[in-house]
């Protein structure tokens, strides 16, 4: 398995990354431009760049499967991928087996969402440890990506 995490403090590479993805994968570029915030666009675009770096080649377009899970086209082989991003971090993973990853900043998980995806016991544990909302969320999100489940199916 290959994984790359990119952490950035500013958007100095934004125009370069934007130009690269626009030329290499116009459909992925259009997908990124659907995001409202420039930072989110940059994250989606940077994930594509990281996939190329991890693959040591241009990967072409990504396809979106059931529930929006991205996958490589058949010309790339039987590799599996997973992508996650948050405010200033992007992580990608490529594997020979199905994979699901997630990344989140501590204390940035919406508590309404936590109440929807966490059991009563987990919600009780959260009151005792401020790190648990992030840990529970990322674990469940990774599992849902691995199993390719939609948000409303994610309660574990």
């Amino acid at each position: 398995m290959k994984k790359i995490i990119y952490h950035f403090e500013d958007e100095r590479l934004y125009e370069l990354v934007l130009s690269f993805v626009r030329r290499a994968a116009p459909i992925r570029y259009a997908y990124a431009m659907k995001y409202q915030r420039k930072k989110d666009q940059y994250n989606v675009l940077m994930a594509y760049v990281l996939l190329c770096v991890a693959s040591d080649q241009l990967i072409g377009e990504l396809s979106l499967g059931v529930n929006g899970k991205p996958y490589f086209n058949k010309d790339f082989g039987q590799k599996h991928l997973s992508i996650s991003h948050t405010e200033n971090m992007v992580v990608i993973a490529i594997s020979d087996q199905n994979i699901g990853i997630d990344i989140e900043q501590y204390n940035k998980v919406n508590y309404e969402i936590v109440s929807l995806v966490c059991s009563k016991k987990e919600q009780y544990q959260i009151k005792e440890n401020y790190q648990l909302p992030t840990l529970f969320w990322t674990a469940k999100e990774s599992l849902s990506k691995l199993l390719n489940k939609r948000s409303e199916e994610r309660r574990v």
Side-chain angles (χ1 to χ4, degrees):
M1 174 176 65
K2 285 188 175 183
K3 59 185 172 188
I4 298 178
I5 299 174
Y6 178 72
H7 182 265
F8 57 91
E9 295 299 325
D10 61 49
E11 299 171 0
R12 285 183 271 183
L13 294 176
Y14 180 79
E15 292 300 324
L16 184 62
V17 168
L18 184 94
S19 177
F20 171 75
V21 178
R22 186 183 307 140
R23 284 191 318 264
I27 295 171
R28 189 68 181 170
Y29 169 81
Y31 173 79
M33 294 302 105
K34 290 181 182 178
Y35 284 84
Q36 297 294 318
R37 296 185 326 157
K38 183 177 178 181
K39 186 173 279 197
D40 293 327
Q41 294 170 356
Y42 185 57
N43 286 343
V44 173
L45 297 168
M46 185 54 76
Y48 179 85
V49 172
L50 296 178
L51 287 167
C52 291
V53 169
S55 302
D56 295 324
Q57 63 182 316
L58 285 175
I59 60 171
E61 292 290 358
L62 295 176
S63 297
L64 293 180
V66 176
N67 302 322
K69 184 173 184 172
Y71 64 91
F72 294 114
N73 66 39
K74 60 184 170 195
D75 298 331
F76 195 79
Q78 296 299 315
K79 298 287 185 186
H80 299 268
L81 69 109
S82 190
I83 300 170
S84 185
H85 51 84
T86 188
E87 288 296 312
N88 292 336
M89 293 180 282
V90 178
V91 61
I92 61 96
I94 301 173
S95 176
D96 292 330
Q97 299 176 5
N98 195 12
I99 188 167
I101 59 171
D102 192 49
I103 190 168
E104 194 66 56
Q105 292 179 310
Y106 275 114
N107 298 323
K108 297 289 184 176
V109 177
N110 182 316
Y111 281 92
E112 283 184 32
I113 299 226
V114 168
S115 69
L116 293 173
V117 299
C118 290
S119 69
K120 296 291 183 196
K121 183 177 180 180
E122 290 166 337
Q123 291 178 44
Y124 177 78
Q125 290 173 315
I126 286 170
K127 293 176 185 175
E128 304 294 320
N129 184 332
Y130 73 95
Q131 294 177 333
L132 286 180
T134 306
L135 294 174
F136 285 153
W137 173 258
T138 55
K140 289 169 185 270
E141 183 72 6
S142 297
L143 183 60
S144 73
K145 289 179 176 183
L146 176 71
L147 300 174
N148 198 16
K149 299 285 186 179
R150 292 191 319 248
S151 298
E152 57 270 16
E153 299 173 295
R154 289 184 184 160
R155 189 172 187 125
V156 178

